[in-house]
Amino acid sequence: MNNNEDFSKVLWKWLCFIWVIPYIGIFLNWKFGLEVGQLGSYGDFIAGTTVPLLTFVSFLAIIRTLRIQEEQMSLQKDDLQSSINQMGEQSKLLRIQGFENTFFNLINLHNQIVQTMKDTHAPKDSYGRMVFSDIYRSLAHAYKSKKHQISQKGLEIEEIKCIRMAYDDFYKLRQPEFEHYFRSLYSIMKYIDKANLESIEKEPYVEIIKAQLSSLELAVLFYHGLSRQGEKFLFFIQKYGMISDLNYNLIFHSQQHSNIYNELFESFEKEYEG
């Protein structure tokens, strides 16, 4: 704005100077009593000098006008970009708010499922997360029983097959108690995975899920991922580090079963992302 004002002042000075020149001729005519005809040569001189000057000043004015328009267009472009950025931020905020509304509704539903879980196999009924204590014992018993049966028959079976056979027996027995639990947890993780958010933006929501899982839940979730019933869940368990806080003392053969876990994830990851 100051540059425009300074240029206008300079331009106005030039115009004033140019228009003063004819008045010099009038002054000379009055001062020295010259005849009008004698001022002809002076007029030719003035015309020869002022016209180029006026043309030059006009050229400067045009250039300055173009620069002013360019500056205005640049300011409008900046304003437009700022508006676009603000709209982008608002859109992102609305998207996150919409995601969080659904996410926390899913969390509330999952917590209700946990609270209504009931262990009908124990001498005394237990409810909620206390059920996982007996569920884990049932899983451990199913695995040991299957290993014993295989040993008694003198069979050689891959460990992953043994785990899955044991989990099948366990699942048939305890399915009514935790089927909805795993289905709900899987739905939440799938919702996070498919959300239109950056990976770093998803981390806080994954941490909310992980914070609610007990040690026994993590152990059961580990073997659920190895089972046929939890094959699809395995990808999310490993991708988002859901069992990063797992107590490996609760794993029946921690090193061997962890290796199997990683191998299954690598093969399933290629299939899932392919």
Side-chain angles (χ1 to χ4, degrees):
M1 186 69 179
N2 291 333
N3 291 336
N4 295 338
E5 292 178 354
D6 292 341
F7 182 80
S8 298
K9 291 179 179 178
V10 172
L11 187 62
W12 178 250
K13 289 178 180 179
W14 272 94
L15 290 172
C16 290
F17 172 75
I18 291 171
W19 288 109
V20 165
I21 295 176
Y23 289 100
I24 295 176
I26 297 174
F27 173 76
L28 291 175
N29 183 37
W30 171 76
K31 183 70 176 176
F32 299 102
L34 298 177
E35 297 181 0
V36 176
Q38 293 177 306
L39 293 176
S41 58
Y42 177 76
D44 294 337
F45 170 76
I46 294 300
T49 55
T50 56
V51 170
L53 286 174
L54 286 171
T55 303
F56 177 70
V57 170
S58 300
F59 177 72
L60 291 179
I62 292 172
I63 292 177
R64 188 56 191 171
T65 301
L66 292 175
R67 287 184 178 178
I68 293 173
Q69 291 177 349
E70 183 180 359
E71 291 173 0
Q72 290 175 344
M73 290 178 65
S74 177
L75 290 174
Q76 290 175 353
K77 182 179 179 181
D78 292 340
D79 291 340
L80 179 60
Q81 186 62 47
S82 177
S83 298
I84 292 174
N85 293 338
Q86 290 178 359
M87 289 177 65
E89 290 296 325
Q90 291 175 354
S91 177
K92 181 179 179 180
L93 181 61
L94 291 173
R95 187 173 70 251
I96 292 176
Q97 288 177 345
F99 167 82
E100 288 187 345
N101 288 337
T102 303
F103 173 76
F104 286 111
N105 284 334
L106 290 172
I107 290 291
N108 291 334
L109 178 61
H110 181 72
N111 287 335
Q112 291 175 13
I113 291 173
V114 173
Q115 291 172 7
T116 56
M117 290 178 66
K118 181 180 179 180
D119 182 8
T120 58
H121 294 78
K124 185 178 180 180
D125 290 348
S126 57
Y127 297 88
R129 283 192 161 82
M130 295 175 60
V131 172
F132 279 93
S133 178
D134 190 59
I135 286 178
Y136 174 78
R137 285 195 297 269
S138 296
L139 178 58
H141 176 73
Y143 175 76
K144 291 177 182 178
S145 297
K146 186 58 64 177
K147 291 287 287 186
H148 179 71
Q149 292 174 12
I150 294 172
S151 177
Q152 287 291 98
K153 294 179 180 180
L155 301 175
E156 292 185 4
I157 298 178
E158 293 181 1
E159 185 63 15
I160 182 59
K161 291 183 179 180
C162 179
I163 293 172
R164 288 180 169 178
M165 291 168 64
Y167 195 90
D168 286 343
D169 294 341
F170 159 75
Y171 191 79
K172 291 176 184 177
L173 180 66
R174 309 305 294 260
Q175 177 181 359
E177 295 162 71
F178 63 83
E179 179 182 22
H180 294 300
Y181 171 87
F182 282 123
R183 188 180 299 166
S184 170
L185 195 57
Y186 173 79
S187 297
I188 296 174
M189 296 309 300
K190 185 177 181 180
Y191 178 69
I192 293 175
D193 186 67
K194 298 298 183 182
N196 186 21
L197 299 174
E198 299 292 335
S199 296
I200 194 171
E201 294 174 329
K202 295 178 182 180
E203 291 179 3
Y205 305 106
V206 175
E207 291 300 320
I208 291 174
I209 297 295
K210 291 168 61 176
Q212 300 185 57
L213 302 177
S214 65
S215 297
L216 294 175
E217 285 178 85
L218 292 176
V220 176
L221 183 60
F222 176 91
Y223 283 105
H224 183 70
L226 292 178
S227 70
R228 296 181 182 87
Q229 293 82 358
E231 278 184 333
K232 292 183 179 180
F233 206 163
L234 173 64
F235 178 79
F236 297 136
I237 294 172
Q238 194 74 348
K239 178 180 180 179
Y240 294 103
M242 293 183 67
I243 57 172
S244 59
D245 297 325
L246 175 64
N247 180 3
Y248 281 89
N249 292 326
L250 297 173
I251 303 305
F252 309 139
H253 298 289
S254 58
Q255 187 61 52
Q256 182 185 18
H257 289 186
S258 295
N259 291 337
I260 293 173
Y261 203 94
N262 293 329
E263 291 172 3
L264 279 178
F265 171 71
E266 289 176 2
S267 61
F268 187 74
E269 182 181 26
K270 295 177 181 178
E271 178 183 348
Y272 185 89
E273 294 187 335

